[in-house]
Amino acid sequence: MAAMCRCARAPRGPLLARAGPGISVLAAAPSVLQQNRQVHHALIPHGRSGRSSVSGIVATVFGATGFLGRYVVNRLGRIGSQVIIPYRCDQYDLMYLRPMGDLGQLLFLEWDCKDKDSIRRAVEHSNVVINLVGKEWETKNFGFEDEFVNIPKTIAQISREAGVKTFVHISHLNASMKSPSKYLRNKAVGEKAVREEFPDAIILKPSEMFGREDRFLNHYANMRWFGGVPLISLGKRTVKQPVYVVDVAKAVINAIKDPDAKGKTYALAGPNRYFLYDMVEYIYAVCFRTFIPYPLPRPLYHLIARFFEMNPFEPWLTRDKVDRFHTTDMKFPDLPGLEDLGIEPTPLEQKAIEVLRRHRRFRWLDAELEEAKPAKTCPV
């Protein structure tokens, strides 16, 4: 109806003068109408802040079904963003994501990471693209090079071609070409590939993340089933600075909102540094479990991990994971961090109970966190 009204008024304006002989006003009208449709209503912020408002963010989140992905989607949904979630997994793995946004705000799209047209469909209507694709082990179909280099590079390239304004890429704090871990070496290559394809990309480098469903604190807590905790050099040569997963999710959202964040690299780490030995000792103190550490040489540790890698499903331990967990977290004093994004880092002692309560015996289930001796820290 609006189109017909505009067309009826067209003879009074310059539109009729541009429409030559034999050309109807309706033929010239689409150019005017198309101008008014360039900005979709989902990109115009309106309503009160909250789940039922519209934040103006239309984000495509690759890897949303992972550990960090569910927290990022939750943060996007609670501020009223529209989220496109490309997935390759089973439908049941998406069930916990569905309540995270208001009705119609979460759109699920099946995609093939090796099909560029599939990626293009996922990003063509978005103004933000977040890449969280990754896995802790290699499979016969996807190696670390595919997960951390080829796929992010393709997503960044197609996002740039589609006119995406903001691209966020998740790397790792210890990503380095000199790392003994193949996981971390490919993370470093992936950073460079993304930066080349999308120069204004925001790269976040979190350390090992802990949270309710993590594979870090839970990993060491579950080692009690093997009669103790094997550590290379007893963990006294490795320093870790774990970061809370919610802080990383907040950093993603704040980086999207900050126009000055484009083209920057952020190092995200917790407020405290610990020797691996002291950190694992604290884990068992919170769990009220007996801590039995013993030194294990790296070659023997790799041999044990090799047997776990034979698992056709998710391997509990891999040789690469051994190397990664025994790598000292780097310091980047020249890079901005959580504080620069307006986030106060959460200490491990404050949130460890949320992760580790499930590992307690029934007798100690309701014991207060203060009963556990705080972990010894290293100078930051």
Side-chain angles (χ1 to χ4, degrees), residues 187-251:
K187 279 283 191 180
V189 177
E191 279 186 33
K192 295 180 180 178
V194 168
R195 184 66 75 194
E196 290 174 358
E197 293 294 339
F198 204 113
D200 287 338
I202 303 170
I203 297 179
L204 305 181
K205 295 165 65 72
S207 59
E208 297 296 339
M209 293 178 286
F210 66 91
R212 290 180 182 269
E213 312 89 0
D214 69 13
R215 293 189 177 95
F216 186 56
L217 300 187
N218 284 310
H219 173 79
Y220 283 110
N222 283 322
M223 278 188 170
R224 68 183 185 275
W225 300 108
F226 298 93
V229 183
L231 298 170
I232 298 175
S233 301
L234 263 182
K236 295 185 177 181
R237 295 183 180 179
T238 305
V239 180
K240 308 300 285 185
Q241 193 173 356
V243 63
Y244 189 37
V245 64
V246 175
D247 291 343
V248 179
K250 289 180 181 177

Side-chain angles (χ1 to χ4, degrees), residues 286 288 353 357 360-371:
V286 174
F288 287 92
I353 186 65
R357 190 186 297 275
R360 291 179 170 183
R361 292 189 179 94
F362 178 76
R363 176 185 177 185
W364 303 104
L365 195 62
D366 295 328
E368 297 296 333
L369 183 62
E370 289 75 13
E371 297 183 26

Side-chain angles (χ1 to χ4, degrees), residues 76 79 84 94 98 106 161 166 185 213 222 224 241 281 303 321 329:
L76 288 169
I79 63 174
I84 295 94
L94 303 172
R98 295 185 184 277
L106 301 186
E161 294 172 354
T166 305
R185 291 197 301 271
E213 312 89 0
N222 283 322
R224 68 183 185 275
Q241 193 173 356
E281 183 181 29
L303 180 63
K321 192 171 185 176
D329 285 343

Side-chain angles (χ1 to χ4, degrees), residues 14-250:
L15 184 61
L16 186 61
R18 290 195 298 267
I23 302 179
S24 66
V25 176
L26 286 175
S31 61
V32 178
L33 299 179
Q34 189 174 2
Q35 283 184 341
N36 296 333
R37 291 196 184 115
Q38 285 180 357
V39 180
H40 192 268
H41 66 84
L43 300 177
I44 304 175
H46 60 272
R48 296 181 179 180
S49 60
R51 175 187 176 95
S52 298
S53 63
V54 176
S55 67
I57 297 174
V58 178
T60 300
V61 183
F62 291 93
T65 56
F67 173 48
L68 176 59
R70 63 192 71 180
Y71 289 91
V72 172
V73 172
N74 186 29
R75 289 278 159 180
L76 288 169
R78 67 167 58 181
I79 63 174
S81 303
Q82 191 170 78
V83 187
I84 295 94
I85 302 177
Y87 69 93
R88 297 178 293 159
C89 57
D90 191 89
Q91 287 281 350
Y92 288 101
D93 295 329
L94 303 172
M95 293 177 65
Y96 57 85
L97 293 175
R98 295 185 184 277
M100 292 184 180
D102 205 1
L103 185 63
Q105 289 294 80
L106 301 186
L107 308 175
F108 297 89
L109 176 67
E110 193 169 359
W111 75 300
D112 180 3
C113 60
K114 296 182 179 179
D115 181 11
K116 291 187 176 182
D117 291 333
S118 176
I119 299 174
R120 192 171 288 107
R121 284 195 301 271
V123 305
E124 62 183 351
H125 299 296
S126 302
N127 56 6
V128 175
V129 173
I130 305 171
N131 175 47
L132 307 174
V133 174
K135 218 167 192 178
E136 289 192 343
W137 65 92
E138 295 183 285
T139 64
K140 64 179 181 179
N141 295 323
F142 297 98
F144 286 145
E145 186 177 0
D146 295 318
E147 296 167 5
F148 302 134
V149 182
N150 297 335
I151 295 176
K153 181 180 180 180
T154 304
I155 294 174
Q157 176 189 353
I158 295 175
S159 298
R160 176 176 51 81
E161 294 172 354
V164 173
K165 296 179 180 179
T166 305
F167 185 89
V168 181
H169 174 70
I170 303 297
S171 183
H172 196 283
L173 186 70
N174 297 327
S176 171
M177 292 300 299
K178 298 180 180 179
S179 174
S181 167
K182 186 179 179 182
Y183 177 104
L184 296 176
R185 291 197 301 271
N186 281 280
K187 279 283 191 180
V189 177
E191 279 186 33
K192 295 180 180 178
V194 168
R195 184 66 75 194
E196 290 174 358
E197 293 294 339
F198 204 113
D200 287 338
I202 303 170
I203 297 179
L204 305 181
K205 295 165 65 72
S207 59
E208 297 296 339
M209 293 178 286
F210 66 91
R212 290 180 182 269
E213 312 89 0
D214 69 13
R215 293 189 177 95
F216 186 56
L217 300 187
N218 284 310
H219 173 79
Y220 283 110
N222 283 322
M223 278 188 170
R224 68 183 185 275
W225 300 108
F226 298 93
V229 183
L231 298 170
I232 298 175
S233 301
L234 263 182
K236 295 185 177 181
R237 295 183 180 179
T238 305
V239 180
K240 308 300 285 185
Q241 193 173 356
V243 63
Y244 189 37
V245 64
V246 175
D247 291 343
V248 179
K250 289 180 181 177

Side-chain angles (χ1 to χ4, degrees), residues 240-242 269-274 345-349 375-378 380:
K240 308 300 285 185
Q241 193 173 356
N272 301 323
R273 293 173 68 87
Y274 314 89
T346 304
L348 173 67
E349 293 82 0
K376 299 177 184 178
T377 60
C378 301
V380 178

